[in-house]
Amino acid sequence: MNDQVFRVKFWGTRGSVAVSGPEFIRYGGNTACIEVQCGKRRLIFDTGSGVRQAGEALSREGVEQLDIIYTHCHYDHIIGLPYFTPLYNPMMSVRLWSGHLAGQMTTGQMVKQFMRPPWFPIESDICQACLNFQDFRTGDVLTPFENVVIRTDKLNHPGGCVGYRIEWAGRVLALIFDTEHIAGELDPAVLGLIKDADLVVYDCTYTEDEMPRRFGYGHSTWQHGVKLAEAAKIGKLALFHHAPSRTDDEIDEFERLARLRFDGTFAARDFQVIDL
């Protein structure tokens, strides 16, 4: 294994709810889940439906230690956790982190409330892995392991959401999963997280034409993502959190239009791998 690899794998790129069908083949239908590999260490950001296949892959590779870091706990970002097979492996060590509910609910409480009857047939104490729950507040700097720095800030989303800037081996990945922009303004929190990043994953659920009807839903657009990319002088922009109704052809067109304005844009697909 290359000890300096900085790899991003998209296990789920859809927002709100998982989808299937012939019109969703190329970009996939799993909800939010991204694996980040920093050398020998693995981080999972959110456990949407895509985390099931991530868990199977990690088990095949023999990974025995990983961190799960949540942006927030809306259904599409947590629904896959009970089906993440490493949780049931006594040889696994898993740390789970969250900060969006600081002062209201701990990470451990969040997981235990989600994995219990009547919402799920068994409780979280069925998990045989060594689980460790970590809490933080937005604005904190996380150091999950040596030489990896994760900066955090608050995003504009109902119920709270955390944006992340992962710095490792001289490279930067920014994850802006769910956030709503204000027309004509560039959020200074987002700009701070994405400045000069090599890759930014950004919430592009809607278009600017749709935004007046979606005010308060907590999501942004590919057009605003492009504006942020230009202002922050980033390397590449990944369009993410595709609306469940968005077909492959529609996403193709958004990618084409975005590239006319910012050539480093691509629409993220399930199972896509990017090396920074």
Side-chain angles (χ1 to χ4, degrees):
M1 180 186 293
N2 181 356
D3 287 349
Q4 293 301 305
V5 68
F6 196 171
R7 180 167 295 160
V8 180
K9 182 160 187 177
F10 296 91
W11 290 101
T13 58
R14 194 70 56 168
S16 302
V17 68
V19 296
S20 65
E23 64 269 55
F24 308 114
I25 296 296
R26 294 195 299 280
Y27 291 95
N30 281 327
T31 61
C33 179
I34 292 180
E35 175 189 348
V36 178
Q37 180 178 349
C38 300
K40 297 179 179 179
R41 301 302 297 262
R42 307 295 180 96
L43 302 162
I44 297 285
F45 287 87
D46 285 358
T47 58
S49 63
V51 84
R52 181 187 66 82
Q53 288 162 292
E56 292 174 352
L58 291 167
S59 296
R60 287 193 298 270
E61 291 181 48
V63 173
E64 295 185 350
Q65 191 173 29
L66 60 90
D67 292 78
I68 295 174
I69 303 178
Y70 282 100
T71 64
H72 64 306
C73 59
H74 287 162
Y75 283 151
D76 50 332
H77 295 258
I78 65 170
I79 197 69
L81 182 64
Y83 307 96
F84 186 60
T85 54
L87 294 183
Y88 308 100
N89 180 354
M91 301 301 293
M92 281 293 302
S93 177
V94 182
R95 285 187 299 185
L96 299 97
W97 305 67
S98 74
H100 65 291
L101 294 175
Q104 304 173 54
M105 182 181 292
T106 68
T107 306
Q109 289 170 336
M110 179 184 76
V111 171
K112 290 175 182 178
Q113 287 202 23
F114 173 56
M115 287 183 64
R116 67 176 177 87
W119 324 117
F120 192 67
I122 53 177
E123 295 190 9
S124 59
D125 57 11
I126 194 70
C127 298
Q128 293 182 294
C130 178
L131 303 184
N132 184 280
F133 300 101
Q134 299 287 323
D135 304 310
F136 65 90
R137 293 182 177 274
T138 50
D140 287 351
V141 177
L142 313 180
T143 52
F145 37 88
E146 188 177 5
N147 298 325
V148 173
V149 175
I150 303 178
R151 305 187 189 279
T152 70
D153 213 332
K154 184 177 181 179
L155 302 179
N156 182 23
H157 191 68
C161 186
V162 181
Y164 295 101
R165 177 185 177 92
I166 302 100
E167 301 172 356
W168 186 73
R171 288 155 285 176
V172 176
L173 165 68
L175 303 177
I176 313 298
F177 275 20
D178 290 38
T179 193
E180 182 170 323
H181 66 274
I182 298 173
E185 297 183 19
L186 298 180
D187 186 341
V190 174
L191 283 173
L193 291 171
I194 72 173
K195 180 176 171 55
D196 299 323
D198 296 281
L199 171 63
V200 174
V201 179
Y202 187 75
D203 174 1
C204 298
T205 305
Y206 301 125
T207 67
E208 287 297 325
D209 289 341
E210 293 168 336
M211 281 301 290
R213 304 187 303 277
R214 299 290 188 265
F215 178 76
Y217 283 33
H219 296 291
S220 192
T221 69
W222 67 262
Q223 292 101 325
H224 195 77
V226 166
K227 290 180 180 178
L228 287 164
E230 292 172 333
K233 296 180 171 56
I234 72 169
K236 292 186 180 297
L237 172 68
L239 310 184
F240 182 74
H241 207 277
H242 310 305
S245 61
R246 204 74 72 196
T247 66
D248 288 337
D249 289 344
E250 289 176 309
I251 297 174
D252 280 345
E253 179 62 8
F254 294 164
E255 182 183 70
R256 185 188 70 82
L257 292 171
R259 281 179 174 170
L260 293 175
R261 294 173 50 183
F262 186 76
D263 188 54
T265 303
F266 66 93
R269 307 165 182 253
D270 287 8
F271 316 123
Q272 184 175 13
V273 177
I274 303 292
D275 283 335
L276 300 185

